[in-house]
Amino acid sequence: MVRWEPGTPERLQRAALELFATRGFEETTAAEIAQSVGLTERTFFRHFADKREALFHGQELFVRAFVAGVEAASPTASPIEVVAAALASAAEFFPDERRSHSRVRQSVIGRNPALQEREVHKMASLAAALADAFRARGVADPAATLAAESGVTVFAVAFVQWLREGEERSLGEIATEVLGELRALTSAV
Amino acid sequence: MVRWEPGTPERLQRAALELFATRGFEETTAAEIAQSVGLTERTFFRHFADKREALFHGQELFVRAFVAGVEAASPTASPIEVVAAALASAAEFFPDERRSHSRVRQSVIGRNPALQEREVHKMASLAAALADAFRARGVADPAATLAAESGVTVFAVAFVQWLREGEERSLGEIATEVLGELRALTSAV
């Protein structure tokens, strides 16, 4: 029986997360990550610019999932309906099986300013990609930017809630609720 | 007649902006910035951790202006009314006399990824400070975070518009309009 083996970047990413979580980010070197899965430092740097990047592997797929939701929405949908569609699509990228992995990742990021800065940058890239997708649908600025930023904000708030100890709702359910809260907030007089 | 002399950090900041704009950020050293106003590199590093920080001097005052608007709003104001008050307060920090300086600063930042990352980080800190100010008013999460993030988004969109060539409206006017667009967007069915 042949067991499916994840690719090299995935193995390095998993090893990086484990070492960062147990020993600490600063205390772990790229060479140690590589060695822990029987690879060389050189192989590590063929896949990642630095050890920080190992935690952000797969980011393009996440952005892709978000943007795909915008692209797949009905042409007659209002921008806020498109935001809802994008959130639903992004939420599918995080099924419940992934919750404990995401918790570990988030706690590693939360303990390190350089990783937090990288995470903030990732969300800014996501917002830029989403705004482009809205413009491609014919939504003019500033609405395109506002819709994109609102989608990212709702996602970020929902994601933190999804990771909370004891939370059992899916990310999609939580995102729908948070979007509702944003709408209630902005429409209040 | 005694002419008012700006303090050392302000002089270094102004010199840094001028050199970054004319020669480029990468091409300018901290020593050169200091020397251009008759100071030493050592003095530069007494005020700033690195040359990047010279462009972000005064950031606390900006965050302060924003948060002061939240704190000064009527206790009965709804969160979105408080966002409007915070935007008005933040806009006063950027009178029209400051527009050309801000244009130069923004174009320097726009040309350099490290500066962009720092700017994104600055806006994230602002959002965190604003969310705290909302919580201090008794606004629970996620509304506190959503209101804070919406305020920052509206500010950022309005600020880009304020800097545009030919734009003559004040930042406050533009921010009011953008907030209106956000409200229209999120309330559409």
Side-chain angles (χ1 to χ4, degrees), chain B residues 78-113:
Chain B
S78 70
I80 199 73
E81 287 171 329
V82 177
V83 168
L87 287 166
S89 174
E92 282 176 33
F93 195 74
F94 296 94
D96 284 345
E97 308 88 81
R98 223 173 141 169
R99 190 164 353 208
S100 61
H101 167 96
S102 293
R103 276 189 185 128
V104 176
R105 183 177 176 282
Q106 220 60 24
S107 86
V108 167
I109 291 175
R111 282 198 297 269
N112 188 281

XYZ file of all heavy atoms in Angstrom, chain B residues 78-113:
276
model
N -24.580 56.466 18.994
C -24.464 55.079 18.529
C -23.033 54.868 18.032
O -22.338 55.836 17.698
C -25.455 54.834 17.399
O -25.037 55.549 16.247
N -22.584 53.606 17.972
C -21.209 53.366 17.514
C -20.881 54.046 16.181
O -19.792 54.594 16.018
C -21.143 51.844 17.398
C -22.098 51.348 18.439
C -23.220 52.358 18.438
N -21.823 54.075 15.251
C -21.482 54.668 13.948
C -21.383 56.191 14.053
O -20.578 56.824 13.353
C -22.483 54.208 12.847
C -21.877 54.435 11.458
C -23.822 54.904 12.966
C -20.775 53.454 11.131
N -22.157 56.783 14.964
C -22.009 58.226 15.215
C -20.657 58.514 15.861
O -20.033 59.543 15.599
C -23.136 58.732 16.129
C -24.480 58.816 15.433
C -25.640 59.098 16.399
O -25.573 58.676 17.582
O -26.610 59.731 15.955
N -20.212 57.586 16.694
C -18.892 57.750 17.322
C -17.794 57.635 16.266
O -16.806 58.373 16.296
C -18.700 56.721 18.458
C -17.310 56.849 19.062
C -19.766 56.901 19.531
N -17.972 56.711 15.316
C -17.007 56.601 14.212
C -16.929 57.940 13.473
O -15.832 58.444 13.182
C -17.404 55.468 13.230
C -16.577 55.545 11.950
C -17.236 54.101 13.887
N -18.080 58.536 13.211
C -18.109 59.832 12.510
C -17.365 60.891 13.324
O -16.587 61.687 12.764
C -19.557 60.255 12.263
N -17.558 60.897 14.638
C -16.879 61.872 15.500
C -15.368 61.645 15.488
O -14.580 62.601 15.446
C -17.417 61.766 16.926
N -14.965 60.391 15.509
C -13.532 60.071 15.497
C -12.895 60.508 14.184
O -11.783 61.044 14.158
C -13.331 58.568 15.715
N -13.610 60.292 13.078
C -13.091 60.707 11.771
C -12.934 62.227 11.714
O -11.942 62.739 11.188
C -14.027 60.233 10.656
C -13.979 58.728 10.362
C -15.170 58.309 9.508
C -12.664 58.351 9.673
N -13.905 62.947 12.269
C -13.833 64.413 12.256
C -12.628 64.881 13.065
O -11.888 65.784 12.648
C -15.128 64.998 12.824
N -12.398 64.228 14.185
C -11.272 64.592 15.032
C -9.939 64.269 14.346
O -8.996 65.068 14.360
C -11.408 63.855 16.369
O -10.292 64.050 17.182
N -9.863 63.108 13.713
C -8.637 62.712 13.012
C -8.362 63.644 11.835
O -7.211 63.982 11.542
C -8.743 61.266 12.526
N -9.424 64.078 11.169
C -9.264 64.942 9.985
C -8.650 66.287 10.366
O -7.901 66.880 9.586
C -10.605 65.145 9.291
N -8.930 66.756 11.585
C -8.349 68.032 12.031
C -6.836 67.958 12.140
O -6.154 68.978 12.150
C -8.921 68.430 13.401
C -10.303 69.013 13.311
C -10.865 69.310 14.694
O -10.082 69.655 15.603
O -12.082 69.168 14.865
N -6.341 66.747 12.264
C -4.890 66.529 12.350
C -4.231 66.802 10.992
O -3.014 66.955 10.910
C -4.662 65.074 12.779
C -3.277 64.785 13.263
C -2.843 65.228 14.509
C -2.391 64.051 12.484
C -1.555 64.958 14.963
C -1.102 63.771 12.929
C -0.680 64.229 14.177
N -5.036 66.820 9.933
C -4.508 67.035 8.578
C -5.160 68.249 7.915
O -5.989 68.081 7.021
C -4.737 65.788 7.705
C -3.982 64.582 8.189
C -4.584 63.662 9.031
C -2.655 64.391 7.829
C -3.880 62.556 9.503
C -1.954 63.280 8.291
C -2.565 62.366 9.132
N -4.813 69.448 8.365
C -5.363 70.640 7.705
C -4.819 70.723 6.274
O -3.840 70.049 5.939
C -4.831 71.785 8.575
C -3.597 71.243 9.217
C -3.844 69.773 9.407
N -5.459 71.543 5.455
C -5.061 71.607 4.048
C -3.605 72.016 3.834
O -2.981 71.608 2.852
C -6.021 72.521 3.272
C -7.336 71.791 3.010
O -7.363 70.552 3.166
O -8.332 72.454 2.668
N -3.050 72.798 4.778
C -1.632 73.201 4.642
C -0.714 71.980 4.637
O 0.438 72.070 4.219
C -1.156 74.075 5.816
C -2.012 75.266 6.122
C -3.122 74.905 7.099
O -2.882 74.854 8.316
O -4.256 74.665 6.599
N -1.222 70.890 5.163
C -0.372 69.717 5.286
C -0.440 68.807 4.064
O 0.278 67.813 3.958
C -0.842 68.920 6.507
C 0.323 68.440 7.312
C -0.148 67.813 8.587
N 0.666 66.650 8.863
C 0.656 65.991 9.992
N -0.121 66.393 10.973
N 1.404 64.934 10.162
N -1.347 69.138 3.144
C -1.606 68.226 2.029
C -0.358 67.965 1.172
O -0.082 66.822 0.824
C -2.751 68.770 1.170
C -3.213 67.762 0.164
C -4.558 67.977 -0.529
N -5.435 69.033 -0.129
C -6.771 68.989 -0.266
N -7.339 67.914 -0.796
N -7.521 69.998 0.091
N 0.423 69.006 0.851
C 1.546 68.760 -0.058
C 2.638 67.944 0.640
O 3.251 67.068 0.028
C 2.081 70.065 -0.641
O 2.539 70.877 0.397
N 2.855 68.212 1.921
C 3.801 67.384 2.690
C 3.333 65.918 2.693
O 4.129 65.002 2.454
C 3.884 67.918 4.132
C 4.562 66.991 5.094
N 5.886 67.094 5.435
C 4.090 65.915 5.783
C 6.202 66.133 6.278
N 5.131 65.401 6.510
N 2.053 65.723 2.930
C 1.522 64.358 2.983
C 1.639 63.659 1.626
O 1.860 62.444 1.569
C 0.054 64.367 3.423
O -0.048 64.801 4.762
N 1.489 64.448 0.552
C 1.635 63.847 -0.791
C 3.037 63.310 -1.009
O 3.210 62.201 -1.522
C 1.337 64.901 -1.872
C -0.122 65.048 -2.164
C -0.352 65.945 -3.391
N -1.782 66.138 -3.554
C -2.385 67.314 -3.686
N -1.672 68.425 -3.719
N -3.696 67.384 -3.818
N 4.031 64.101 -0.607
C 5.418 63.666 -0.781
C 5.668 62.413 0.069
O 6.212 61.420 -0.411
C 6.407 64.793 -0.361
C 7.838 64.294 -0.452
C 6.208 66.020 -1.237
N 5.212 62.464 1.324
C 5.409 61.316 2.223
C 4.777 60.050 1.635
O 5.385 58.986 1.603
C 4.809 61.638 3.592
C 5.020 60.537 4.617
C 4.471 60.932 5.981
N 4.604 59.828 6.916
C 3.792 58.776 6.940
N 2.781 58.695 6.094
N 3.986 57.794 7.799
N 3.542 60.189 1.147
C 2.844 59.014 0.618
C 3.537 58.466 -0.628
O 3.566 57.261 -0.837
C 1.378 59.371 0.331
C 0.402 58.272 0.701
C 0.430 57.896 2.187
O 0.828 58.687 3.027
N 0.041 56.669 2.506
N 4.100 59.352 -1.445
C 4.735 58.842 -2.663
C 6.042 58.123 -2.309
O 6.403 57.140 -2.952
C 4.914 59.948 -3.700
O 6.112 60.646 -3.473
N 6.726 58.582 -1.260
C 7.928 57.870 -0.800
C 7.531 56.477 -0.290
O 8.149 55.471 -0.645
C 8.648 58.678 0.318
C 9.698 57.822 1.019
C 9.295 59.933 -0.268
N 6.487 56.427 0.507
C 6.025 55.141 1.050
C 5.586 54.201 -0.072
O 5.908 53.016 -0.070
C 4.882 55.366 2.068
C 5.450 56.045 3.320
C 4.178 54.050 2.437
C 4.425 56.424 4.357
N 4.871 54.762 -1.054
C 4.353 53.951 -2.155
C 5.438 53.300 -2.996
O 5.185 52.323 -3.693
N 6.652 53.846 -2.915
C 7.746 53.300 -3.728
C 8.571 52.264 -2.978
O 9.511 51.714 -3.550
C 8.686 54.439 -4.181
C 8.126 55.249 -5.340
C 9.234 56.056 -6.028
N 9.844 57.039 -5.147
C 9.435 58.298 -5.013
N 8.411 58.731 -5.712
N 10.052 59.122 -4.202
N 8.263 52.024 -1.689
C 9.121 51.130 -0.910
C 8.340 50.116 -0.060
O 7.620 50.498 0.859
C 10.018 51.989 -0.009
C 11.062 51.143 0.672
O 10.754 50.468 1.654
N 12.252 51.130 0.130
N 8.512 48.824 -0.362
C 7.757 47.793 0.355
C 7.953 47.813 1.876
O 6.999 47.585 2.628
C 8.289 46.481 -0.227
C 8.841 46.845 -1.555
C 9.361 48.242 -1.418
